Amino acid sequence: MVAEFSEPIEVSNEAMVLWFGRDSDHPEREQCRAVFAEHASVVAMLPEGLINAAGQAKLRQAAGLV
């Protein structure tokens, strides 16, 4: 869930901006991305059985591994 909420919001997508606000209004998103990137090696080693494939893909994306 944290990985999903850390994703950047496209300013051209008015519905997403309405629901989630602009990135400039939520500095915690960038902070989350920075933490994921800092710990990318740990994220990459998470066993597949710990979380489902979609969850692991989100974590890897947030860590900048894909």
Side-chain angles (χ1 to χ4, degrees):
M1 180 175 262
V2 173
E4 287 184 28
F5 285 127
S6 72
E7 291 182 7
I9 301 298
E10 295 287 334
V11 294
S12 61
N13 186 335
E14 293 180 21
M16 292 295 284
V17 171
L18 181 64
W19 277 97
F20 298 107
R22 297 179 184 277
D23 280 351
S24 60
D25 298 331
H26 296 279
E28 68 276 8
R29 291 181 188 148
E30 180 58 36
Q31 293 167 344
C32 286
R33 289 190 291 270
V35 169
F36 280 117
E38 181 179 344
H39 300 286
S41 62
V42 175
V43 171
M45 294 183 342
L46 289 174
E48 290 184 24
L50 185 63
I51 56 175
N52 65 26
Q56 189 161 18
K58 283 286 185 189
L59 286 172
R60 292 177 64 81
Q61 180 181 4
L65 299 171
V66 289

